[in-house]
Amino acid sequence: MFIKAALNGSRSKADHPDIPVTTAELVAAATSAVLAGAGAIHFHVRDHNGKETLEPQFVNEQVKAVKAAVPEIPVGISTGAWIVPDISQRLAYIREWEVLPNFVSVNGHEAGFERIIQAILDKKIGVEAGLNSAQAAANFSSSGLLKECFRLLIEPEEQELTAALATVKAIEDKLTDKQPHQTVVLHGFDITCWEILKVAKYKGYDLRIGFEDTLLDPSGAIAESNESLVKAAFHWS
């Protein structure tokens, strides 16, 4: 069973005191998640004030530290448009990265995602296709870039389970050009997280869990850590 641990997302310590934002906290969270069984690590890079960033200084620092802590495990980061809304600046930052993640996620619903993917591929970094809707999947397919992605992320954002599962089906129906080598991760957020994890297991998809996706364990209690969420995901059915 493959589980990717999503350590922080856009959340802050106001959401949970153990959301990792500093380099030391990310290293500790990644290490414990891997010891719990995570097969990949995903996080959102933060600056020294805890704000999300793609600035080379902080990408280099945090990616280097996390990769050194879990050297056998692929490490990825987000390129979400909200982190650096100006796409020219985002591209400039990406081109200046020196310590490279193993992969990044690129969202198909964001304007200019094709340019971001090309910049990432130029640096020989793997790309995950972020698919939160049928339109995002259609955007990837029409761009011809879906085949360049090694992993497809089906990630419905609806907080009502029936609606979220309808989005999953709509995305799947658009993935007619999925390649045999491509893996699929299915995950939900907050209210739908644990039920969609069950669906992912049933479908034979890979899993994602962590504080980015939920602050609660399967019982509905506040989760202790990313590590505890990874452990719970292995046994949840």
Side-chain angles (χ1 to χ4, degrees), residues 2-22:
F2 175 87
I3 295 179
K4 179 172 64 169
L7 302 180
N8 55 8
S10 296
R11 301 191 199 265
S12 72
K13 290 190 181 294
D15 299 305
H16 191 295
D18 288 332
I19 299 291
V21 293
T22 69

Side-chain angles (χ1 to χ4, degrees), residues 64-217:
K64 180 179 180 179
V66 174
K67 289 179 75 172
V70 290
E72 303 300 320
I73 301 297
V75 171
I77 64 175
S78 175
T79 63
W82 67 90
I83 301 174
V84 182
D86 184 320
I87 191 168
S88 296
Q89 183 65 76
R90 207 178 333 146
L91 288 164
Y93 283 156
I94 290 168
R95 291 172 181 137
E96 293 171 12
W97 293 350
E98 295 179 351
V99 180
L100 304 182
N102 300 102
F103 62 91
V104 303
S105 54
V106 181
N107 298 317
H109 64 280
E110 294 176 348
F113 78 95
E114 304 96 332
R115 296 173 65 192
I116 300 298
I117 289 177
Q118 194 55 61
I120 293 296
L121 293 175
D122 287 347
K123 296 188 79 74
K124 312 299 184 188
I125 301 171
V127 177
E128 296 180 312
L131 309 171
N132 70 348
S133 66
Q135 185 59 58
N139 291 347
F140 259 102
S141 293
S142 62
S143 73
L145 289 169
L146 192 71
K147 65 181 183 298
E148 302 295 340
C149 303
F150 78 101
R151 182 183 290 138
L152 313 182
L153 305 178
I154 300 178
E155 39 193 6
E157 297 177 349
E158 293 87 353
Q159 290 297 286
E160 196 278 319
L161 184 61
T162 301
L165 293 178
T167 293
V168 172
K169 176 66 164 55
I171 292 170
E172 291 171 330
D173 288 346
K174 292 290 185 182
L175 299 180
T176 55
D177 49 348
K178 178 184 178 298
Q179 303 299 302
H181 70 278
Q182 292 172 315
T183 59
V184 176
V185 168
L186 169 61
H187 70 99
F189 295 98
D190 295 320
I191 292 171
T192 68
C193 179
W194 291 104
E195 290 306 310
I196 287 181
L197 191 145
K198 283 184 184 179
V199 173
K201 287 186 175 183
Y202 174 79
K203 289 177 173 285
Y205 290 155
D206 291 336
L207 313 179
R208 192 180 101 163
I209 197 68
F211 277 147
E212 177 170 357
D213 294 347
T214 184
L215 300 175
L216 306 179
D217 67 22

Side-chain angles (χ1 to χ4, degrees), residues 35-53:
L35 290 174
I41 295 294
H42 168 81
F43 66 94
H44 293 207
V45 174
R46 306 301 181 93
D47 65 17
H48 290 162
N49 294 316
K51 181 183 177 182
E52 291 178 86
T53 184

